[in-house]
Amino acid sequence: MKSVPLGVFIIMALAAPAFGQMLQAAEGVTARDTPLDAGSSITLTWQPSPDEAGRKVQVLAYEVWRATRAAGEYERLGEVESGKENYEFTDEEAENGVEYFYKVRARGERMSTDAAPAGPVKATAEWFHPDRLNMLVASVVLAAFVLYFISQARAGKELFIRRIAGLEAVQEAVGRATEMGKPVLYVPGIADIDDIQTIAAVTILGRVATMIAEYDAALLVPCSRSLVMSTAQEVVKEAYLEAGRPDAYRRENVRYLTDDQFGYVAGVDGIMLREKPAANFYLGTFYAESLILAETGHSVGAIQIAGTAMPSQLPFFIAACDYTLIGEELFAASAYLSREPRLLGSLVGQDLGKVIILISIIVGVVTAFLAQFGFELFGRSIALEQLFVVK
Amino acid sequence: MRREIPMIVAFVAGVTIILEFFVPALRDVASQIQKWYLVVIAFAILVGAFNLLRINYMKIRYRRADWPYSFALIAGLFAMAIIGIGWGIKEGTVFDWLFNYLIFPMSSTVFALLAFFVASAAYRAFRARTVDATLLLVAAVVVMLGQVPIGSAWVPAWWPDSLVFLTPDWLKDRIMNIFNTAGQRAILIGASLGVVSTSLRILLGIERSYLGEE
C-alpha cells in the first residue's frame, strides 16, 4: 500500500520541471483613454512576461481581448509579436462612453496565460489640446493685429507699406512683353489648390492678368493640376472682364499639362522654347523643377520673377531669376498689387506680428544665455524657450 | 449666390480645419472634409483630361504648328488608359512595363538636366563681381569642400586642435548649422505669418480674387 503514494510521488517529481514551466502572464497591464484624440480609442501598455526575459518558455505573441464586464465574454482584438521591451496596443474601435475591460494573453507554443483584466476604462474625445495653448495665443494675437489694421484701413487711415522690388517689377515685365509682342508665361507651381502657396499664386494671377489685359499682351498659364486650371481659368476670365477686354480672353491659354512633376517641366520648357515668352512668372510651390524652369527661361531671354515659400528652392530662383519674392512676400503680393486698403491693412498686421516674434526671439536668446550662467528668478530659470516649444 | 456659396464653403471648411488643430474632438469632421476634397480632386482629373484632349485635338484638326506632338500625346494617353483598364496596372503587366521602361526613364532624363542647370546657374551666381556674390562664392566653395572626402583629406593628422576652425569640415558645419539654418528659419517664420494673414483674408472674404472676383 505504501508503494502507491511513493510511486505517485516519484512520477510527480520526475514531471516537476514540465509542470514548473507554466507560462507566466504579461506584467503591468494598463488601459487608458488615448490622450489628445478624437475619442474611440483606448491605449494598452504592458511589460513582457518574465518568461520572455528568462527564455524558459518561448512567448510567441501577446493577444489583446476586450469585454464590457470584467467577468464577461471577451472578444479578441488583435495581437502584438513578442521581442520588445515595452508593449503598446491601441484599440481604435472603442465606443465613446462605454466601459471596457482588457485582457492581455501571453501565448506560447503549447499554452497561454491571461494577465488580470485591466479596466474599466472609457474612450472620450478631448475638447482642447493643452500643449497647443501657446500656438492658440500666438494665432489669436496675430489675427487680432491683422483685423485691427484692416479696420483701420477701412476707416481710411493711411498705412505705410514697405516697397517690394519684385512686385514693382511686375509692371515692367508685362510692359516689356507688350513692347516685344511676346506672351507672358505664368507658372502657378506644381501643388494643388489646397496648398496655400498655390492659392497665393492664383490670387496674384488675378492681378497680373488684369494688367496683361489692359496692356493687351498674351498670357499663357500651364497648370499641373486640374483644380488649379479650373480656378485659374475663372480668375483670368474675370480679370479680362474687369479690364474691359473679355474678347481678348483665350480659354485655351490656361491649360492643363500633366500631374507628373517632370512631365510638367518638359511641357513648360517646351512652351518656353516654342513661344519665347518675354516675361516668366514662377509663383507658388516648387521642388526640383524650380531651377530647370528658371534656367530654361533665362536661356530664352525672358525677364523672370519668381516667388515661393520653399526655403530649399529659393537659392535656385535667386540665382536664375531677375527678382525673387521670398516667403512672406509671396503672400503679400496680391494685396500689394491690388493697393486695396483692406488688403494692405492685413500686411501691416502681418509686419507687426513679425516685430513681436523678433522681440520674442531676442528676449528668448538673452534669457537662455543668462540661464546658462545660472540666472534664476524666484528659484526658477527664466529661459523662455519652453514657451516656444511646439508639440 | 454664385459668390456667397463658395465663400461660405471656404469659411466653414477653413475654420473647421484650423479648429481641429486645437480641438482633437473635431478630427473626424476635419477628416471627412478632407475626404470630400479627395472626391472633388478625383472628378477634377476628368476636367483636366478633357481640357488636354480638346486643346490637342484642335491643334491636330487645324494642323497648327507642331501638331504631330499633339497626336503623339493623344495616342499615348489613350494607349496607357486602354492598356491600364484592359489588362490592369499591377506589377508585371504591360502598363507596369511601359511605366518602368518608358515614363520613368523620361522623367529621370528631365531630372538629370538639373545637374547641367546647377552648373550654369552657379557660374552666373558665383561670378565675384560684388561683395555679396564674392561671399556667396567663398561660402559655396567651403561648403562643397566640406561635403566631399577630398575636402578634409589635406588636413594632416598632426593638425592642432586649436586650428580646427580652419578645416573645411568645421567651417561647413558652422555655415550650414548656424547661418543657413538661421536664414531658413527666418524665411519660414515670415512665410508662416504670411500664411496666417492670407488665410484670414480668404476666410473673412476680404481676398476674393481666387473666386474670380476683384
Side-chain angles (χ1 to χ4, degrees):
Chain A
M1 288 295 285
K2 284 181 182 177
S3 65
V4 175
L6 183 64
V8 172
F9 175 78
I10 291 167
I11 290 167
M12 284 182 70
L14 288 171
F19 284 115
Q21 286 187 353
M22 285 294 289
L23 188 60
Q24 295 184 73
E27 293 186 332
V29 180
T30 59
R32 64 192 175 108
D33 176 31
T34 305
L36 306 174
D37 71 341
S40 307
S41 172
I42 289 170
T43 302
L44 280 90
T45 53
W46 67 90
Q47 279 84 50
S49 154
D51 284 338
E52 196 183 326
R55 301 273 177 205
K56 286 178 190 166
V57 182
Q58 198 182 3
V59 179
L60 298 176
Y62 294 93
E63 296 177 359
V64 177
W65 295 69
R66 184 181 76 179
T68 48
R69 286 184 296 115
E73 193 176 330
Y74 283 79
E75 60 168 327
R76 187 175 179 279
L77 297 179
E79 65 176 40
V80 182
E81 278 186 25
S82 60
K84 296 175 185 169
E85 284 183 15
N86 290 295
Y87 292 91
E88 188 174 294
F89 180 89
T90 308
D91 174 11
E92 300 281 4
E93 289 169 3
E95 203 174 314
N96 283 351
V98 175
E99 286 191 341
Y100 290 106
F101 293 85
Y102 290 88
K103 268 185 185 176
V104 173
R105 177 173 292 172
R107 178 161 58 80
E109 276 184 12
R110 293 178 186 167
M111 61 189 90
S112 302
T113 307
D114 289 348
V121 59
K122 283 192 240 178
T124 51
E126 306 289 335
W127 285 96
F128 186 65
H129 200 310
D131 292 344
R132 290 177 180 169
L133 180 65
N134 51 359
M135 291 283 285
L136 181 64
V137 171
S139 304
V140 169
V141 169
L142 183 60
F145 286 148
V146 172
L147 293 175
Y148 171 74
F149 283 105
I150 286 173
S151 70
Q152 291 285 297
R154 269 184 178 150
K157 192 178 176 189
E158 194 78 19
L159 299 170
F160 169 74
I161 303 290
R162 67 191 162 87
R163 187 177 167 274
I164 300 175
L167 295 174
E168 295 289 327
V170 170
Q171 201 163 7
E172 178 196 337
V174 175
R176 183 172 183 262
T178 313
E179 281 172 10
M180 294 173 77
K182 289 180 174 179
V184 173
L185 180 73
Y186 193 101
V187 183
I190 63 161
D192 216 326
I193 200 72
D194 63 331
D195 188 305
I196 190 76
Q197 293 186 66
T198 310
I199 296 175
V202 172
T203 57
I204 301 164
L205 172 64
R207 316 290 177 200
V208 174
T210 308
M211 211 179 283
I212 289 170
E214 284 165 355
Y215 278 67
D216 198 19
L219 170 67
L220 302 172
V221 188
C223 303
S224 76
R225 308 282 168 171
S226 305
L227 278 180
V228 176
M229 178 204 71
S230 302
T231 317
Q233 281 179 341
E234 282 300 304
V235 165
V236 174
K237 189 176 155 190
E238 291 289 335
Y240 274 73
L241 201 63
E242 193 200 303
R245 296 293 318 280
D247 54 308
Y249 170 65
R250 295 279 174 276
R251 191 180 174 82
E252 65 272 16
N253 283 356
V254 184
R255 70 177 76 159
Y256 170 77
L257 293 183
T258 171
D259 274 42
D260 182 74
Q261 185 185 15
F262 293 109
Y264 178 70
V265 174
V268 175
D269 278 4
I271 291 171
M272 281 190 215
L273 295 173
R274 285 192 300 273
E275 307 286 343
K276 302 270 189 300
N280 291 344
F281 290 86
Y282 312 106
L283 301 168
T285 301
F286 291 90
Y287 295 93
E289 69 285 351
S290 60
L291 189 64
I292 303 177
L293 293 174
E295 277 297 282
T296 310
H298 180 266
S299 73
V300 298
I303 182 170
Q304 304 202 97
I305 298 174
T308 186
M310 307 293 288
S312 54
Q313 302 308 319
L314 279 168
F316 295 131
F317 278 142
I318 290 169
C321 295
D322 299 284
Y323 299 95
T324 306
L325 304 176
I326 298 172
E328 57 174 325
E329 292 175 346
L330 172 73
F331 300 106
S334 174
Y336 190 93
L337 290 172
S338 74
R339 310 308 295 180
E340 196 193 321
R342 286 185 309 167
L343 295 175
L344 291 177
S346 69
L347 296 189
V348 181
Q350 187 180 321
D351 275 352
L352 190 58
K354 204 160 61 178
V355 169
I356 288 178
I357 288 180
L358 195 64
I359 292 169
S360 305
I361 289 172
I362 293 168
V363 171
V365 168
V366 170
T367 52
F369 179 76
L370 292 176
Q372 263 198 332
F373 291 94
F375 186 87
E376 290 188 348
L377 189 67
F378 303 122
R380 292 188 64 185
S381 158
I382 60 164
L384 298 178
E385 59 186 354
Q386 285 170 348
L387 277 177
F388 303 105
V389 175
V390 179
K391 291 177 183 172
Chain B
M1 289 303 280
R2 188 171 166 259
R3 298 285 179 238
E4 281 77 7
I5 290 175
M7 277 171 60
I8 292 167
V9 170
F11 181 80
V12 172
V15 168
T16 308
I17 300 284
I18 291 169
L19 281 180
E20 184 263 333
F21 185 74
F22 303 107
V23 183
L26 286 175
R27 203 162 289 165
D28 289 344
V29 183
S31 153
Q32 202 64 32
I33 290 173
Q34 278 159 351
K35 279 180 192 164
W36 292 346
Y37 172 69
L38 290 179
V39 172
V40 173
I41 284 187
F43 281 102
I45 286 173
L46 294 177
V47 177
F50 180 74
N51 175 273
L52 198 68
L53 282 175
R54 197 174 61 85
I55 287 172
N56 287 286
Y57 169 72
M58 298 304 272
K59 265 181 109 171
I60 297 168
R61 188 178 169 187
Y62 295 108
R63 297 288 191 275
R64 288 184 191 144
D66 303 322
W67 68 267
Y69 293 118
S70 294
F71 181 78
L73 188 145
I74 291 179
L77 182 70
F78 277 108
M80 289 300 279
I82 291 166
I83 291 166
I85 293 166
W87 290 273
I89 59 170
K90 286 181 182 169
E91 206 173 318
T93 57
V94 180
F95 183 93
D96 184 53
W97 190 90
L98 286 171
F99 182 82
N100 285 330
Y101 297 106
L102 211 65
I103 296 173
F104 189 67
M106 286 195 292
S107 283
S108 302
T109 306
V110 176
F111 184 40
L113 290 174
L114 192 58
F116 301 99
F117 287 136
V118 165
S120 62
Y123 172 74
R124 285 205 313 281
F126 295 163
R127 273 181 298 182
R129 287 180 173 174
T130 62
V131 177
D132 292 353
T134 311
L135 277 174
L136 196 65
L137 174 66
V138 172
V141 168
V142 169
V143 170
M144 280 192 279
L145 281 174
Q147 295 281 32
V148 291
I150 199 169
S152 301
W154 64 268
V155 182
W158 49 263
W159 190 264
D161 283 348
S162 55
L163 293 178
V164 72
F165 62 88
L166 290 177
T167 60
D169 249 1
W170 191 93
L171 286 167
K172 182 262 296 180
D173 284 345
R174 296 309 179 276
I175 290 171
M176 295 302 286
N177 296 337
I178 298 171
F179 298 104
N180 187 47
T181 306
Q184 291 215 7
R185 283 181 185 165
I187 290 167
L188 284 175
I189 289 171
S192 306
L193 289 168
V195 168
V196 173
S197 179
T198 305
S199 305
L200 268 177
R201 290 201 299 263
I202 291 170
L203 291 180
L204 297 175
I206 297 167
E207 175 73 83
R208 281 175 287 189
S209 57
Y210 74 101
L211 294 171
E213 185 182 352
E214 295 298 318

